[in-house]
Amino acid sequence: PGTACRRGKPALRSDAGTVATAEPLKPVDLAGVVHDSQGNALPDALVIAWPKQRRNEAVVQARSDEAGRFVLRRLAPGSWTLLAEAAGFGTLEIDRTVPDPAPLAMPLEGEGRTLNGLVTTPPNRPQEGAQGVLGGPGLRWPRHTTTDRHGLFSFSGLGLGRFVVRATSGSLVSNPASLIIE
C-alpha cells in the first residue's frame, strides 16, 4: 500500500548515490576440446548446446577440428547443457555455466584408433598430394586428408565401426577399401 511498482530494467546505485541502468550481458563464445578416454583428440565430434530452462533460445552446435577443438558461438550468459558425440564413442552430456574461464574438456568413453595408409601410382610409386577420403555408416560427414611426400596418409580419432577409404590424384581414382575397427 502506498508504493508504486514499475516494470523495466533493474536500477543500480553507485557509491555516489546516482542511479544507473543494468546493461544486458552480451553473448560469449565457449571453446573446448573433445578427446577420448586416453586424452587423444577426437576430430569431427559434434558438440550441441541448449539453454537450461530458457525455451526461447536456439540450440547451438559445432564440430571439432583435427585437434579436437570446437567453439560454440554467441551463447547467452547462464546455464547450458552440452552434449558431445563422435562415431564409435560414448556420448557425454554435461551442464556448464557461461561464461566460465575454466578450460572445457569433454572426454568421450572409448579409445580412438588411427588408420594409416599409402597411396601409390603405377608403377608402384608413392603419390604425394593425393586426396584421401574416409566415409562410413557411423560418420556424419566424410573426412579428408592429403598424402605427404612419401605417399602416406592418416586418419586419427576413429571409433569402432565400418569404414570405406578411397584415394584420388588428378584423374586417377582408387578402388574403395573397406575395413572394420572392432
Side-chain angles (χ1 to χ4, degrees):
T3 60
C5 294
R6 288 188 303 161
R7 289 187 173 210
K9 294 180 182 177
L12 301 176
R13 292 198 182 271
S14 70
D15 291 340
T18 59
V19 176
T21 304
E23 290 296 320
L25 297 174
K26 294 182 181 178
V28 296
D29 294 346
L30 178 63
V33 64
V34 180
H35 59 82
D36 68 9
S37 58
Q38 304 297 311
N40 299 311
L42 293 178
D44 291 328
L46 177 64
V47 181
I48 304 171
W50 62 91
K52 292 181 72 69
Q53 301 154 353
R54 290 192 313 256
R55 305 222 187 275
N56 61 342
E57 292 189 44
V59 172
V60 178
Q61 64 182 357
R63 268 173 63 175
S64 62
D65 64 13
E66 287 298 316
R69 296 180 306 248
F70 65 90
V71 178
L72 296 165
R73 303 264 181 221
R74 303 190 46 76
L75 300 183
S79 295
W80 289 78
T81 299
L82 282 72
L83 182 132
E85 64 181 17
F89 293 90
T91 300
L92 176 68
E93 183 177 314
I94 62 170
D95 291 335
R96 181 76 173 208
T97 300
V98 174
D100 184 345
L104 175 58
M106 301 190 76
L108 301 187
E109 187 178 319
E111 187 175 336
R113 307 292 196 275
T114 300
L115 170 64
N116 297 308
L118 171 67
V119 176
T120 60
T121 55
N124 208 20
R125 277 186 252 161
Q127 182 61 43
E128 178 180 5
Q131 300 298 303
V133 180
L134 180 72
L139 296 177
R140 290 185 186 283
W141 36 78
R143 290 182 54 190
H144 302 267
T145 191
T146 304
T147 59
D148 66 12
R149 64 186 184 99
H150 303 289
L152 299 172
F153 68 88
S154 182
F155 290 103
S156 63
L158 299 175
L160 305 178
R162 293 182 11 209
F163 300 93
V164 176
V165 66
R166 170 175 261 163
T168 63
S169 181
S171 63
L172 300 174
V173 179
S174 72
N175 290 324
S178 298
L179 59 126
I180 298 175
I181 297 178
E182 300 184 273

